[in-house]
Amino acid sequence: MMRNILSSADLSRKNIEELFSICDAVVSGKRKLSLKGNQTIALFFTEPSTRTMVSFVVAASHLGCNAIYIDSRNSQASRGEELADTARILSLYCNFIAVRINDHDKLLAMAEHSKVPVINALTSLEHPTQALADCYTIMRRKGNLSRLKIAFIGDVAQNTANSLMLTAAKLGARISLVGPKACKPNSFYLKESRKYGRIDVHDSIEEGLNGADVVYTDTFVSMGDEAEAKKRRRMFAPYQLNSKAFSYTKKNSIVMHPLPAHRGEEVTKGVIDGPRSVVWEQAKNKMVIEEAILLYLSR
Ligand code: CP
């Protein structure tokens, strides 16, 4: 039985399909789903969040589970308490801990010292709950992922790209990573994903996006990259998802972005606010997958 969700590598295809079938039950609303007893999730975040934080709180409330948001700046972690001790303490009081932290190794250390399931709510390496919500959204829109080409354009080496590539490859999708030559995909996630399916890497937008069923982009300046913001915006600017880039994809392709979006940088307003954008549905499905995760981890 799966205990934590720290990485997309932790999830087998069977785990993902089981989670998606719980998502279907959540979406159908046919029966009341709840967690047994008086359970609580701690959301320990060292970095800002709008969607992940609020959707976890609301997902928990739908299941009758309490949620406590801990901004690390207002905890003793900000005065030097070791994160291992923070994890031990939170797991004495709470039934789940969701952590957003830049350093992935610190997340692993917290999980090691927690007695309750720990969920990765984003690190600099991965965003596994986002990838699950994304793949669930694609499945609802397009059906079985094994028939689909998913193109990721922009910074192909960041956390969302890593988790999306690995999760979607496990579900049989063909992935196309499209970015500048200087931006190499993370070698671990590329190698791991290639065990499950075809992953192509392109610097040509036309070749990479040609015939894509789904086109995905994300910020050019991820968490931790702020010092290099100017350089990164310059490097990725030619890889903006605009109407020309979008025109290479299939006529019925969909546009995805995990948000927050920077209109005029990684994506144009016309594309992200256009009729084939599913970004709001994608954001809503974060709450659906989080309900499914809490139910699944408490089995
Ligand atoms: N997509 C996402 O993780 O959004 P937040 O940073 O607002 O949580």
Side-chain angles (χ1 to χ4, degrees), residues 179-203:
K181 269 203 174 85
C183 175
K184 305 271 179 248
N186 179 296
S187 56
F188 169 79
Y189 293 98
L190 190 58
K191 192 169 163 209
E192 195 63 19
S193 303
R194 281 182 167 151
K195 290 181 188 164
Y196 302 95
R198 178 171 162 189
I199 319 290
D200 299 317
V201 181
H202 296 275
D203 61 326

Side-chain angles (χ1 to χ4, degrees), residues 45 48-54 100 121-122 127 130 257-260 286:
F45 282 33
S49 170
T50 299
R51 280 143 289 272
T52 310
M53 186 267 280
V54 177
R100 172 167 288 201
L122 188 142
H127 202 351
Q130 180 69 51
H257 190 307
L259 307 176
K286 284 174 72 81

